Amino acid sequence: MAQDPAVSLRVSEISDPALLFERYNTEEIRRVERKVRGEIEQKKEELRQMVGERYRDLIDAADTIGEMKQCSESVVRSVRDVQQFCHSLKQGTGTGGCRQEDQRPWQEKFYTMASQIKLLLEIPERIWSAMEASQYLQATQLYLLCCHLHSLLQLEAATGGLYSPVLSRFPILVRQVATTGHFRSTILLESRSLLRGRAVSDQAIAEALVSTMLLEDSSPRQALADFLLARKSFIHQLLNQPQHGSGIKAQVCSLVELLVNTLFQAYAVFYMPPEGAPRQGDGTLRCGILFSVLESVTATMPAAKARRVLQEETSPGSWFRYLPPCITEFQPTIRTLAQPIQREQLRDTLQQWINTCKEDICRGVNSLLVYVKSLKGLAGIRDAVWDLLSSDSISQHWSTVCQRLLERPLAVWEDFLQQLFLQRLQVITKEETEAISASSVQLLTSALRDLESQTLHLSSGSHSSVHRALYEVDVASFLWSESPGDLLSDAGWVSVTQRSQQQQQRSGLAMKTHALTPCVQNFCSSLDAKLKSRLEDLQCYLPSQDTGSDSIPTTVSSSGPAGSASVSSCNRFTDSPAVEEALREGCLSCVHHILSSIRSELSASFPNSSPNRLSSVLFMARLCQSISELCPSLKHCILGKHSASEAAAKGTPRQGKKLGKSRPTAEVSPAQAKWAALKEELLSCSMEAYRIWSSALSKVLLDKFGSALHTESAGSILKAATNWEDLEIQEEAESGSSVTSKIRLPIQPSWFVQSLLFHLCVEVNRVGGHALPRPTLQELLQTCLDQALSHYCSLTQRPPNREGVFPMTQNRALQLLFDLRYLNTTLGSRLDEGKGSRSQQDPRFNEVCDWLEGFIDPFDLDVFTPPLNANLNRVSQRTSVLLGLLTGSEKQFASRSSTVTSQEQYNILPLASSQIRFGLLPLSMSGVRKSTSASRGPDAPQQLVPQSRAADSEDSFRPGSLFRQLADQDEDTAAPSLFKLSWLSGMAK
């Protein structure tokens, strides 16, 4: 819609009305007229409003102008009066000398009053100048002089509300009197604010206190109370400041500095030495400044070195000489007697103030330390406080000041802050160790769930899962697999003796020799990294190894009158045992929490140990077995400083072994006892997990063994039979001639017996049998033997001559007797350590043997027994290598007889005298040391076995024990040994 041109026309554009009639029609001109008239009315209304709003201002301006006119007329009249008065004075100068003598005293009185009035007018400016320069004592003196002038000039209001004559003649003094009244409160406020400052000199503190005493007519005890109250309020102000990161350190240091400066300034200002002793001593240590300043300000004796109020204002000028002596010699006075504070009162007051501030500081610092989240930050605050307290300006006279003021030493760090810092450290350590415990348990749970799920995938034939679960069940696949991290990068040019023990333990080959799977390594490395971080954080709070002087109290000998008193500023490391104990308890609770989680998992796995759960059980067993070795930070956290001393006392492994015989038994510390108890608990948990695995394994294998043993059909019995041997024996007949006969005897155990032992050996080697604890292996073998005997006993309980059951023949009885004795020989108990006899044999073995021998002809039994025993020994020797770890070190027939004849039919392979890391690797004893075979004799290797067994019961079963024995045998010879070969030394890592 088009806009009307007449409406859009502005009034300012209408210059010529004639043009409107040329451009627009009548109707449009009327609209323009209405618009113009509307704008005119609007402007009139705005003008009315503006006049109404400004009318009041106009009236006020008119009144002001009228008052100015009246004032001007009054000034003009006064000037005329002055002129007339001066004219009359000029006319009166011609009078006689008697009249001049009468007027001279009046003039001097007038000049005196005028000089006093001039001084009174100048005093406010001087007071403000003194206050701007923080000279509150001078401002107080000027104020008191001003009050003195008021009393001299009688400026106070008279009775009845009438002013004094001076005020009636000099009206300007009315406002001056009102202005002077505010100075007292201002000076008091500024003086008390000065008392709260930290960087204020002792002289300024004393002058501010004297100002307060003069203005309030207070005593030195009240001044001391004001001083301590101001310092307490400033402590509250420091504690209530907002927190901004690193400002906590500055706040704590400010609190300590304020506390120390308060005692120093209390000594310098209020302390008075006993009568007869000098006031100043101990170098720059001053005392009694308050009383010195008070004496100099209020002294009235001419001989005293008094500090006059107008002493610096004296000038031979015109008006100053008219001031009366009561003004020029004015000195403030104090109504109360300023006696020095008694030592007992000063001591009790300061002690009460310290006790009150201690509660506030402890509460405030405790709330500040909540914002400190690390021990490094806590140590930074502690070190800053220590640097402050051990500075020369504080430590040089601290003990002297405390002894004279409090009559006892005051240790700021020990009494105020040390317990707060220790409590915060314990809280931080507890929170961090709880976090480590929670994360470790979470990691353990996730690892167990992953192992179970991956085991299910493996059992179902899925190959998409990783090999971690396979490694937990079949450690052999992990041991014989190659990885880039098996050998260290410097293994080619750095020997084993030059490499640290931790580097040896961290190599991949070392992990494999200990049967530590990747799951165990990952868990232990994660736990060790977290504990190492906590240990490094804690080291910031403990004394370092190379700065031993820091761990003793810092003492400074005083050369003043106090004699040889030693000043202990602060010993920041006195709580080191408590700090180590906090970390120790936190780590112990962390490991106990992990162990409780492991035990709960084991208890859930124990009733029905399915194959899917065995990988988790073996993982937990290896984990508990290796935590103490793969987490060196855990050992350092628990042992604390004993770990460093223990490592230094051990030296190299061979050195420790040699020196251990002559070194006396060291006293076991509580930390070492806790570490030993923790290792024992870890080992117990590991043994419990291994026991679950061994129970499940023995149950599966012995169930198959029992079903094969109890078979009743002839075909099954023949299927389990093995090869027999034909032997020719010569017997003497009744006539004296020899008779040759042929007998058949078993030379091998039954197939189900061999299958039992073979599968048992395979399962033991699958889980890393060389790293299994010896008690676990013995318990597994004993359990298998007990269950086998139980199956044999159940065989004896079957009723004979049942239909459809193959009868017990002599040949079957011989085979079963041979199997039983072979099982007993292979799985039987080992020789007891330190004893030469076997443990008591199971009576069930003899019962079953007697039962089986009952089916054999007695005459044949006597004939069969010697060759049967020979066959049993021969098959035991042959299978000792194949069975490996199932045959103990005492059953491996380490040496051969030197009287072997060429008629021996079988070549028995000699084995090592001790159980080595890889049980299936035989070692020929004749090829160990060819150069020493002539000098040592054939029985030398046998003699070394019981010695090493007596020295350490576990030494022969440790990984690499054979190699260490070989090195010990050959360490005194120059010829190279097997231990020094490069490939063998790599295996010994």
Side-chain angles (χ1 to χ4, degrees):
M1 181 178 180
Q3 188 176 3
D4 190 359
V7 177
S8 62
L9 181 66
R10 296 182 180 180
V11 179
S12 60
E13 296 179 355
I14 303 175
S15 58
D16 189 4
L19 296 176
L20 296 176
F21 291 94
E22 295 177 0
R23 297 179 182 177
Y24 308 107
N25 54 25
T26 306
E27 187 66 27
E28 291 176 349
I29 291 175
R30 288 177 180 175
R31 286 198 298 271
V32 171
E33 180 186 6
R34 286 194 297 270
K35 180 180 178 181
V36 172
R37 291 184 183 277
E39 291 183 0
I40 291 173
E41 293 298 328
Q42 183 179 359
K43 296 296 182 181
K44 287 182 180 180
E45 183 65 24
E46 292 178 358
L47 181 62
R48 292 191 196 98
Q49 292 178 0
M50 183 182 67
V51 171
E53 290 175 356
R54 301 297 180 184
Y55 181 70
R56 186 179 300 172
D57 297 338
L58 293 174
I59 294 176
D60 292 341
D63 294 341
T64 303
I65 293 173
E67 292 177 359
M68 292 172 62
K69 180 180 179 182
Q70 294 177 1
C71 183
S72 300
E73 293 175 354
S74 175
V75 170
V76 170
R77 287 194 300 268
S78 299
V79 171
R80 290 175 181 175
D81 294 340
V82 171
Q83 290 178 351
Q84 295 176 1
F85 181 74
C86 293
H87 183 69
S88 63
L89 288 176
K90 290 180 180 179
Q91 292 178 356
T93 55
T95 58
C98 181
R99 189 175 178 180
Q100 292 179 357
E101 292 178 358
D102 294 338
Q103 291 180 354
R104 187 173 300 169
W106 181 86
Q107 289 179 354
E108 291 180 357
K109 184 178 180 181
F110 176 77
Y111 291 154
T112 299
M113 183 177 295
S115 62
Q116 293 178 14
I117 293 174
K118 180 175 178 60
L119 179 61
L120 185 62
L121 294 176
E122 290 184 358
I123 281 179
E125 182 179 357
R126 296 186 181 186
I127 291 177
W128 285 119
S129 300
M131 293 183 64
E132 289 178 357
S134 299
Q135 298 177 356
Y136 303 114
L137 180 58
Q138 184 179 358
T140 302
Q141 290 177 302
L142 291 173
Y143 170 75
L144 294 178
L145 177 60
C146 182
C147 295
H148 183 62
L149 288 173
H150 286 178
S151 62
L152 290 178
L153 296 176
Q154 298 179 357
L155 298 182
E156 290 81 2
T159 57
L162 299 178
Y163 288 102
S164 64
V166 179
L167 289 179
S168 61
R169 291 181 177 272
F170 301 96
I172 194 174
L173 295 179
V174 176
R175 181 172 296 180
Q176 191 71 17
V177 172
T179 304
T180 308
H182 300 290
F183 281 121
R184 183 177 184 275
S185 59
T186 305
I187 295 174
L188 284 174
L189 182 63
E190 294 297 330
S191 299
R192 286 169 177 166
S193 65
L194 180 69
L195 299 178
R196 303 171 60 182
R198 286 179 296 165
V200 183
S201 63
D202 301 341
Q203 186 70 25
I205 292 292
E207 291 181 357
L209 290 173
V210 170
S211 300
T212 306
M213 293 174 63
L214 292 176
L215 292 176
E216 294 184 342
D217 289 329
S218 58
S219 62
R221 293 186 61 182
Q222 183 62 36
L224 175 62
D226 293 341
F227 172 68
L228 297 180
L229 185 62
R231 291 305 174 95
K232 183 180 179 181
S233 64
F234 190 59
I235 288 176
H236 289 171
Q237 180 181 348
L238 288 177
L239 291 174
N240 295 327
Q241 287 181 355
Q243 317 304 325
H244 298 290
S246 60
I248 297 177
K249 181 192 296 185
Q251 283 183 260
V252 176
C253 291
S254 299
L255 287 172
V256 174
E257 184 181 6
L258 180 63
L259 179 65
V260 172
N261 288 343
T262 300
L263 290 182
F264 272 109
Q265 290 178 347
Y267 176 83
V269 175
F270 297 99
Y271 179 77
M272 289 294 292
E275 296 182 1
R279 284 195 177 185
Q280 293 185 0
D282 303 327
T284 59
L285 200 59
R286 299 177 57 189
C287 61
I289 301 178
L290 175 70
F291 305 100
S292 301
V293 173
L294 190 62
E295 182 181 359
S296 64
V297 170
T298 59
T300 56
M301 300 299 294
K305 296 182 179 179
R307 186 165 64 178
R308 307 298 180 184
V309 178
L310 300 177
Q311 185 175 3
E312 299 178 357
E313 304 295 336
T314 303
S315 62
S318 57
W319 64 272
F320 194 82
R321 57 192 175 91
Y322 292 105
L323 290 174
C326 63
I327 302 298
T328 58
E329 301 296 331
F330 173 76
Q331 287 291 99
T333 57
I334 186 170
R335 297 178 183 177
T336 60
L337 187 62
Q339 290 288 347
I341 304 176
Q342 298 182 3
R343 298 183 63 182
E344 292 78 10
Q345 295 177 350
L346 181 61
R347 178 197 62 198
D348 296 341
T349 304
L350 290 176
Q351 187 61 53
Q352 184 180 2
W353 179 81
I354 289 173
N355 295 336
T356 306
C357 291
K358 182 177 180 180
E359 298 177 359
D360 299 336
I361 290 176
C362 292
R363 190 183 307 109
V365 172
N366 196 16
S367 62
L368 289 177
L369 294 181
V370 174
Y371 299 97
V372 181
K373 300 299 182 180
S374 65
L375 301 186
K376 185 177 181 180
L378 204 63
I381 301 175
R382 190 268 316 269
D383 294 340
V385 174
W386 184 84
D387 293 336
L388 175 65
L389 294 177
S390 60
S391 60
D392 294 338
S393 59
I394 295 178
S395 61
Q396 187 175 2
H397 302 292
W398 177 249
S399 65
T400 303
V401 170
C402 293
Q403 189 63 35
R404 293 180 181 178
L405 287 179
L406 306 175
E407 297 180 0
R408 69 175 183 87
L410 178 63
V412 178
W413 169 252
E414 286 82 356
D415 295 346
F416 285 79
L417 303 176
Q418 185 178 33
Q419 192 62 29
L420 300 177
F421 276 67
L422 182 59
Q423 291 175 358
R424 181 56 187 164
L425 181 142
Q426 292 172 348
V427 171
I428 294 176
T429 303
K430 183 179 179 181
E431 292 176 352
E432 294 294 337
T433 51
E434 287 179 352
I436 293 174
S437 175
S439 61
S440 299
V441 171
Q442 184 179 2
L443 180 61
L444 175 67
T445 305
S446 62
L448 294 177
R449 300 299 173 263
D450 292 343
L451 288 175
E452 292 180 6
S453 61
Q454 292 165 11
T455 305
L456 289 174
H457 287 305
L458 288 175
S459 60
S460 61
S462 175
H463 301 284
S464 59
S465 59
V466 296
H467 297 284
R468 291 191 301 171
L470 176 63
Y471 288 161
E472 293 299 330
V473 180
D474 187 7
V475 180
S477 61
F478 169 64
L479 295 180
W480 298 107
S481 62
E482 294 185 0
S483 59
D486 285 346
L487 293 178
L488 298 177
S489 58
D490 56 353
W493 54 86
V494 178
S495 62
V496 180
T497 56
Q498 296 177 354
R499 190 174 292 121
S500 63
Q501 184 179 3
Q502 186 175 2
Q503 289 178 342
Q504 296 178 18
Q505 293 177 352
R506 291 298 180 182
S507 64
L509 191 58
M511 297 294 106
K512 291 181 178 180
T513 55
H514 289 83
L516 299 178
T517 57
C519 291
V520 177
Q521 297 179 36
N522 293 338
F523 184 90
C524 292
S525 61
S526 174
L527 179 60
D528 184 67
K530 296 172 185 177
L531 292 177
K532 185 178 181 181
S533 175
R534 297 305 316 142
L535 189 61
E536 290 175 353
D537 195 16
L538 185 72
Q539 291 301 323
C540 300
Y541 206 86
L542 295 176
S544 57
Q545 298 290 338
D546 52 350
T547 56
S549 60
D550 238 1
S551 61
I552 61 175
T554 304
T555 58
V556 179
S557 298
S558 175
S559 58
S564 60
S566 62
V567 182
S568 176
S569 61
C570 172
N571 184 3
R572 50 178 168 173
F573 298 125
T574 54
D575 55 353
S576 296
V579 172
E580 293 181 349
E581 184 65 24
L583 182 62
R584 182 181 301 115
E585 293 299 329
C587 292
L588 288 174
S589 62
C590 174
V591 178
H592 288 156
H593 188 201
I594 297 174
L595 283 176
S596 63
S597 178
I598 291 176
R599 285 196 174 97
S600 63
E601 293 288 343
L602 292 178
S603 61
S605 304
F606 180 69
N608 48 353
S609 300
S610 61
N612 298 332
R613 294 284 297 177
L614 285 182
S615 59
S616 302
V617 171
L618 289 172
F619 165 71
M620 290 184 283
R622 297 188 189 101
L623 181 62
C624 295
Q625 186 181 6
S626 59
I627 280 182
S628 59
E629 296 296 333
L630 294 187
C631 297
S633 299
L634 176 62
K635 180 178 180 181
H636 295 161
C637 290
I638 295 178
L639 291 182
K641 62 182 180 181
H642 296 285
S643 60
S645 60
E646 181 181 354
K650 279 186 177 181
T652 60
R654 192 171 299 175
Q655 259 184 342
K657 188 173 182 181
K658 290 181 179 179
L659 297 178
K661 299 177 181 179
S662 60
R663 187 172 63 248
T665 304
E667 183 179 356
V668 179
S669 63
Q672 293 172 340
K674 291 182 179 180
W675 171 245
L678 181 63
K679 290 176 64 178
E680 188 68 25
E681 190 172 358
L682 287 170
L683 181 60
S684 174
C685 188
S686 175
M687 297 296 293
E688 182 180 352
Y690 276 125
R691 192 174 295 111
I692 296 175
W693 165 79
S694 62
S695 300
L697 177 61
S698 61
K699 184 178 183 302
V700 173
L701 295 180
L702 268 299
D703 287 346
K704 295 181 180 179
F705 173 81
S707 62
L709 179 64
H710 291 83
T711 183
E712 298 178 349
S713 62
S716 301
I717 295 175
L718 289 176
K719 186 178 179 180
T722 55
N723 188 23
W724 285 46
E725 182 184 22
D726 294 333
L727 294 179
E728 293 183 356
I729 59 173
Q730 294 182 356
E731 299 175 336
E732 187 177 356
E734 296 179 358
S735 60
S737 61
S738 60
V739 179
T740 301
S741 60
K742 184 180 293 187
I743 62 174
R744 293 176 58 85
L745 292 176
I747 60 173
Q748 291 182 359
S750 300
W751 287 119
F752 61 86
V753 175
Q754 297 186 39
S755 177
L756 168 66
L757 297 178
F758 178 75
H759 284 91
L760 182 61
C761 182
V762 168
E763 293 298 329
V764 169
N765 283 281
R766 277 168 57 89
V767 299
H770 61 279
L772 283 178
R774 184 180 181 185
T776 298
L777 188 58
Q778 290 180 346
E779 184 178 355
L780 174 61
L781 300 181
Q782 189 63 37
T783 303
C784 292
L785 181 59
D786 291 342
Q787 294 184 15
L789 286 175
S790 299
H791 287 297
Y792 276 103
C793 289
S794 63
L795 183 64
T796 62
Q797 302 299 326
R798 293 195 309 182
N801 300 326
R802 290 186 301 169
E803 295 183 359
V805 177
F806 191 80
M808 181 65 66
T809 62
Q810 178 172 325
N811 289 341
R812 187 184 179 192
L814 279 173
Q815 184 66 52
L816 291 178
L817 181 62
F818 186 84
D819 295 344
L820 180 59
R821 293 183 61 186
Y822 176 70
L823 283 175
N824 186 67
T825 302
T826 305
L827 303 179
S829 59
R830 278 23 178 190
L831 288 174
D832 296 336
E833 298 293 339
K835 299 179 182 180
S837 61
R838 291 179 177 270
S839 59
Q840 186 177 3
Q841 202 169 31
D842 194 336
R844 296 180 298 173
F845 173 75
N846 296 326
E847 294 176 1
V848 176
C849 289
D850 294 339
W851 180 75
L852 291 175
E853 289 175 356
F855 295 97
I856 305 173
D857 184 81
F859 175 76
D860 293 343
L861 183 61
D862 294 339
V863 176
F864 293 164
T865 298
L868 193 65
N869 291 336
N871 293 342
L872 182 62
N873 292 334
R874 187 180 299 111
V875 74
S876 297
Q877 294 173 2
R878 285 178 174 178
T879 57
S880 59
V881 175
L882 179 64
L883 298 181
L885 297 173
L886 298 186
T887 59
S889 59
E890 75 282 355
K891 292 186 177 182
Q892 291 180 343
F893 304 95
S895 63
R896 299 179 60 183
S897 175
S898 59
T899 60
V900 176
T901 62
S902 59
Q903 299 177 355
E904 185 178 357
Q905 186 176 356
Y906 303 97
N907 183 15
I908 305 302
L909 183 64
L911 298 178
S913 59
S914 63
Q915 179 181 354
I916 59 178
R917 179 175 292 125
F918 300 100
L920 298 181
L921 292 180
L923 182 64
S924 177
M925 298 302 295
S926 60
V928 176
R929 290 291 295 164
K930 294 183 179 180
S931 61
T932 59
S933 59
S935 60
R936 294 189 178 180
D939 297 333
Q942 297 180 3
Q943 296 173 0
L944 293 175
V945 178
Q947 293 178 2
S948 62
R949 196 176 289 149
D952 188 3
S953 60
E954 299 294 332
D955 188 56
S956 62
F957 282 87
R958 291 178 181 173
S961 60
L962 172 64
F963 305 139
R964 288 193 293 269
Q965 291 174 11
L966 293 176
D968 292 339
Q969 293 172 15
D970 301 332
E971 63 182 354
D972 298 331
T973 63
S977 65
L978 285 176
F979 186 73
K980 297 179 181 178
L981 296 178
S982 59
W983 69 272
L984 195 55
S985 63
M987 292 173 62
K989 294 177 185 178

